Amino acid sequence: MARPDINRSGEIEVFVRVVEAGSFSAAARALRMTPSAVSKLIARLEARLGARLVSRSTRRLQLTPEGTAFYESGLRILADMAAAEREAAAGAAPRGRLRVNTYVPFGVHRLIPLLPRFLERYREISVDLVLTDSVIDLMAERADVAIRAGPLGESRLVARKLGQSPVVVVAAPSYLEAHGTPRTPADLDKHNRMGFGFVRHLDGWPFLDAAGIAIMVPITGNALVSDGEAMRLMTLAGVGIARLARWHVAADIAAGRLVPLLEAFNPGDEEVTHAVYVGQGPHLPARVRAFLDFLGESVRLT
C-alpha cells in the first residue's frame, strides 16, 4: 500500500507532461516548476518503481520500454480520474465531447446515419468524428472510441465486437462487359485487381480451388486506394475488381450496380468489426458507455 505522503497522481501527471513536452525544461515551464524539481520528481518516481523510465544519455528524451508502458497506463489513469470528477459533479450523466475515429465505410454507411438519433437521445454529448482506414494510436490521438474492421493486434485496449460480415469479390457490369467475367481464381491473372495503399492482415485474396484447397491470389493492378469507400466507388466506376465486406456493397449488388464473382470459390471468411476503447467497468466515462451501448443496439452488419 502506498504511503499517504506520496502524491502518486501528481507524479503521473508530471511524468506524462514530460513525455508530451519532450524535455524536463519544457515540462517545467508548462507546470510552473523548476527543471531541477521536475528532474528530482522523476528520479524519485523511478526509485520508487525500481525501474528506469527515461534515458538521459542523449539530448532528446527517450522512453525505456518500462517508461512507455507507464506512460500509456498513466494516460488511462488520468483520463479515468478526470472522467470520474466530471461525472461526480454532473451526477454521472452522459455529457461532454465524444471523440470517435472510425474506418470510412462504417462511418459513411452505418455511423453517420445513426448520429441524429444518438445526439437526440443524449443532448449533452457532442461528437468529434474522424473517418480514416489507417490504424491509429488511440491514446496519442486522444480518441474515446475507435471502430476498426479486421483482426485486432496485441493491445492493452478493450474491444467490443459490433458485428461481422462475409467478404465478396465484386465488379461493375461495365467492367465485366469490357474485360470479361472471371470463372475461376486463375482467370484473375487477366484482370485488374485493386488494392489498398496501406498494410492489411492479408497480402492477397483467399479462395478455395476446385479441390477445396485454400489458395491465395496476389493483388496486382493499376490502382491503390486509401479506404474501403474509395475502393467501392472505384469499383462502381468500372476501374477494376475489388474484394469488400458484403454489408458494404449489399445495396449495390441488390440494385445491379455490382456483380458478385467467383462465389463457388469463396472460402467463407468474415470481416469482424470492433469498437476499441480505453478503460472499462466503473471508470468508463458515461459518454463512452452510452455510445458503446447505442452501437450495440443499433448496428447490424449481417
Side-chain angles (χ1 to χ4, degrees):
M1 186 172 179
R3 294 202 327 264
D5 60 332
I6 295 178
N7 182 357
R8 292 195 291 175
S9 63
E11 289 180 341
I12 292 172
E13 186 171 1
V14 171
F15 177 72
V16 167
R17 188 62 67 91
V18 166
V19 175
E20 293 178 342
S23 69
F24 291 138
S25 57
R29 287 193 298 272
L31 294 166
R32 296 184 179 180
M33 299 171 63
T34 65
S36 63
V38 170
S39 179
K40 289 176 182 177
L41 187 148
I42 299 301
R44 285 199 308 269
L45 176 61
E46 291 176 323
R48 182 166 62 81
L49 296 176
R52 182 170 291 279
L53 302 178
V54 295
S55 172
R56 300 168 177 79
S57 59
T58 61
R59 283 191 173 185
R60 189 170 180 272
L61 184 145
Q62 296 284 343
L63 287 178
T64 65
E66 293 79 9
T68 299
F70 190 76
Y71 170 68
E72 292 174 354
S73 297
L75 282 177
R76 290 196 296 272
I77 291 167
L78 293 175
D80 286 347
M81 289 175 58
E85 290 173 352
R86 287 195 303 270
E87 290 176 15
R95 64 177 62 211
R97 178 178 294 183
L98 177 72
R99 295 176 173 85
V100 180
N101 188 296
T102 176
Y103 70 104
V104 180
F106 187 91
V108 171
H109 295 282
R110 287 295 186 271
L111 182 55
I112 290 175
L114 291 171
L115 282 180
R117 183 153 57 92
F118 176 76
L119 293 172
E120 177 67 22
R121 182 183 299 182
Y122 300 104
R123 299 195 176 191
E124 297 299 316
I125 292 178
S126 63
V127 173
D128 183 344
L129 179 63
V130 175
L131 274 63
T132 176
D133 278 20
S134 300
V135 177
I136 68 159
D137 183 328
L138 198 66
M139 287 175 287
E141 295 292 331
R142 300 296 176 90
D144 293 304
V145 180
I147 301 171
R148 286 295 178 267
L152 297 175
E154 290 295 324
S155 173
R156 296 181 179 88
L157 303 176
V158 184
R160 180 183 294 190
K161 182 178 175 181
L162 298 179
Q164 60 194 59
S165 172
V167 186
V168 61
V169 176
V170 289
S174 60
Y175 175 88
L176 298 175
E177 183 178 349
H179 302 280
T181 301
R183 303 297 178 187
T184 70
D187 293 341
L188 289 172
D189 286 343
K190 298 175 285 187
H191 287 272
N192 192 27
R193 306 186 295 281
M194 296 187 293
F196 292 94
F198 54 88
V199 176
R200 290 171 64 86
H201 68 281
L202 287 178
D203 189 21
W205 292 352
F207 292 98
L208 297 178
D209 66 13
I213 298 173
I215 59 173
M216 188 72 71
V217 175
I219 302 169
T220 57
N222 62 9
L224 294 174
V225 299
S226 63
D227 61 76
E229 182 64 6
M231 180 69 78
R232 170 181 167 269
L233 295 174
M234 294 275 278
T235 310
L236 287 168
V239 175
I241 298 176
R243 189 172 190 267
L244 294 165
R246 183 174 283 273
W247 75 263
H248 186 193
V249 292
D252 298 316
I253 292 172
R257 294 187 293 267
L258 292 176
V259 178
L261 303 173
L262 303 171
E263 286 291 81
F265 304 93
N266 192 321
D269 58 318
E270 295 189 320
E271 181 180 87
V272 182
T273 294
H274 291 92
V276 184
Y277 53 98
V278 178
Q280 57 184 322
H283 302 298
L284 189 65
R287 67 184 185 281
V288 176
R289 183 180 296 109
F291 181 65
L292 293 170
D293 290 344
F294 178 82
L295 290 178
E297 72 182 49
S298 305
V299 171
R300 298 293 179 269
L301 296 180
T302 53

